[in-house]
Amino acid sequence: MVSLQKITKNGRALFLAYDQGLEHGPVDLNDKSAMPEYIFNLGVMGKFTAVIVHKGIAEKYYHPYQFKVPLIIKLNGKTSLSQSAPFSAQLCGVDEAIALGAVAVGYTVYLGSPREDEMLGTFANIVAQAHARKIPVIAWMYPRGEHIDEADPNLQAYAARVGAELGADIVKIKYPGTIEKLAWAVHCAGKTLVVCSGGSKTAYEKIIEEAMAIRAAGAAGFAIGRNIWQQENPLEIASKLHGIIL
Ligand code: FBP
């Protein structure tokens, strides 16, 4: 099995996600968070176990931080402007990511999309390439499509299981709402670690509650973005999450 040592601590993970500039656009950003240097500094100061970005941000901004915080490059992406079936195109290769300093790579699969088959196939190739280079792979497993009820909490266990079946080392799912549902997803994922995404900005207390649930359910941690850098005091919430999760 590929080692997760570079991006986890005692099997736990606190990733700072910063791919929203592509996924959602500047609507998510403000004066500070639009600056990648600000986010990488937050990654260091907040003791995140890795920062997740797309290749363009890595290429122009990561160098000064390369020995300070590990890098995960998200290999595919899409904008919020597209109206077609959910599909996230590959934008960066595994070797390219490694050359940019990545010690792990990430990839989104929209389960249930009419283009699911393409994403599953590409993801399988990425797992093979990354594992051949001893690099772990994180699967963003998001059920999405016209006939998918994204709010169905039972789908998260399916998403986690698909990640495990495809050889992901870590699977990233939406928090399914209860400790029990998350514990079931963790169980279904087996040796594949489970992290939860943070979602759009919510109350501070809700994030702390989710972090406790993550701990209680045996999940590995958070891959969280907006609920850190959109909070009034990002370092304060980062330190709180660090205490709970790590
Ligand atoms: P957040 O914690 O900000 O939700 O980030 C997690 C994440 O998975 C990002 O990596 C990604 O850009 C975004 O959520 C995708 O959100 P959406 O559900 O809108 O596709």
Side-chain angles (χ1 to χ4, degrees):
M1 220 159 94
V2 164
S3 168
L4 293 174
Q5 252 182 347
K6 287 186 179 162
I7 55 166
T8 57
K9 209 172 158 192
N10 302 322
R12 306 207 156 260
L14 190 57
F15 300 144
L16 185 59
Y18 187 60
D19 56 340
Q20 296 83 351
L22 173 65
E23 298 289 332
H24 304 147
V27 67
D28 269 353
L29 307 172
N30 64 19
D31 279 358
K32 279 186 187 166
S33 61
M35 297 191 302
E37 300 93 330
Y38 172 77
I39 299 294
F40 279 120
N41 267 315
L42 201 55
V44 177
M45 304 297 289
K47 298 196 180 116
F48 284 85
T49 60
V51 175
I52 304 163
V53 298
H54 280 292
K55 72 171 186 182
I57 301 296
E59 191 167 25
K60 299 223 174 17
Y61 299 92
Y62 181 58
H63 185 67
Y65 306 92
Q66 65 177 333
F67 300 115
K68 296 181 177 162
V69 65
L71 179 73
I72 297 169
I73 291 189
K74 185 74 195 312
L75 299 183
N76 65 340
K78 65 153 189 53
T79 73
S80 62
L81 304 174
S82 160
Q83 297 225 323
S84 49
F87 177 72
S88 190
Q90 184 169 359
L91 308 167
C92 179
V94 171
D95 286 339
E96 208 181 343
I98 294 170
L100 290 170
V103 292
V105 291
Y107 183 91
T108 299
V109 178
Y110 294 121
L111 294 176
S113 161
R115 299 186 70 183
E116 176 199 86
D117 50 349
E118 287 171 67
M119 288 176 278
L120 289 179
T122 307
F123 182 69
N125 284 331
I126 283 166
V127 170
Q129 286 165 27
H131 286 178
R133 287 152 184 77
K134 307 272 181 259
I135 291 284
V137 182
I138 301 151
W140 274 234
M141 281 292 167
Y142 290 169
R144 194 160 293 178
E146 244 175 55
H147 66 286
I148 298 287
D149 173 10
E150 286 184 43
D152 177 355
N154 299 310
L155 280 179
Q156 302 310 326
Y158 195 176
R161 183 68 188 205
V162 174
E165 301 272 353
L166 295 176
D169 304 288
I170 300 181
V171 66
K172 177 175 175 181
I173 58 172
K174 307 266 180 190
Y175 176 63
T178 65
I179 297 175
E180 292 70 29
K181 297 269 184 218
L182 182 56
W184 175 233
V186 169
H187 189 62
C188 290
K191 289 185 179 175
T192 296
L193 301 187
V194 174
V195 296
C196 290
S197 65
S200 55
K201 192 182 167 209
T202 181
Y204 177 96
E205 296 71 27
K206 193 160 174 280
I207 290 299
I208 300 303
E209 207 179 285
E210 279 183 25
M212 310 263 219
I214 284 170
R215 240 350 262 249
F222 253 139
I224 183 167
R226 289 165 286 177
N227 274 293
I228 300 293
W229 38 262
Q230 288 180 353
Q231 289 284 350
E232 225 159 87
N233 190 341
L235 279 178
E236 202 272 332
I237 190 162
S239 144
K240 190 95 185 170
L241 295 184
H242 198 273
I244 298 168
I245 285 168
L246 291 144

